[in-house]
Amino acid sequence: MSRTNIVCINCPKGCRMTVETENDHIKNISGYSCPIGEKYARDEFENPVRILPTTVRVINGVLPLVSVKTEKPIAKELLLDAMREIAKIEVEAPVYLGQVVKENLLDTGVDLIATRTISSQRG
């Protein structure tokens, strides 16, 4: 039997849980104090996902970068590939809060969106 330690991030309590598995199947989850923690541990073991916050270069903006994030979580295993793809992106100012910077990032069905407004240098 294999054990994986997971800390729940759904509330400030931060339950330290242990997921016991056999042949990649969950046999037991312990250490949670609510059903949300148990679900988090199960999801984190079976399919870990993350929202990816980063920046994208801005052309002719009052700032050189705009903060962006994935609109929904993507598979944790895709984060490095997503960062490589995002590093290639440049957007022309102005950029608006909520603007889609890249549609369907890595064919995940998840868009990359701007999380702030960047004005153009031209005014």
Side-chain angles (χ1 to χ4, degrees), residues 3-17:
R3 292 176 182 220
T4 303
N5 294 319
I6 295 174
V7 177
C8 183
I9 60 170
N10 282 303
C11 77
K13 202 177 218 181
C15 292
R16 297 181 186 280
M17 300 172 288

Side-chain angles (χ1 to χ4, degrees), residues 8-106:
C8 183
I9 60 170
N10 282 303
C11 77
K13 202 177 218 181
C15 292
R16 297 181 186 280
M17 300 172 288
T18 301
V19 179
E20 296 176 345
T21 60
E22 193 172 297
N23 299 323
D24 290 329
H25 295 291
I26 296 174
K27 295 297 182 186
N28 186 47
I29 299 173
S30 61
Y32 60 89
S33 60
C34 72
I36 295 170
E38 180 183 20
K39 181 181 181 331
Y40 177 80
R42 185 173 303 285
D43 292 345
E44 185 66 11
F45 180 81
E46 293 175 347
N47 183 34
V49 293
R50 301 288 185 275
I51 288 182
L52 176 59
T54 187
T55 56
V56 167
R57 285 186 288 271
V58 177
I59 301 168
N60 297 320
V62 293
L63 294 174
L65 300 170
V66 63
S67 57
V68 295
K69 71 172 188 151
T70 53
E71 67 174 339
K72 296 182 225 169
I74 62 173
K76 187 177 172 182
E77 66 189 26
L78 294 177
L79 293 178
L80 188 56
D81 290 338
M83 288 299 293
R84 287 187 186 114
E85 184 70 21
I86 293 166
K88 300 173 192 173
I89 298 172
E90 292 181 333
V91 293
E92 181 79 32
V95 181
Y96 299 99
L97 173 67
Q99 177 181 329
V100 174
V101 173
K102 170 79 174 167
E103 289 182 350
N104 193 19
L105 182 65
L106 295 179

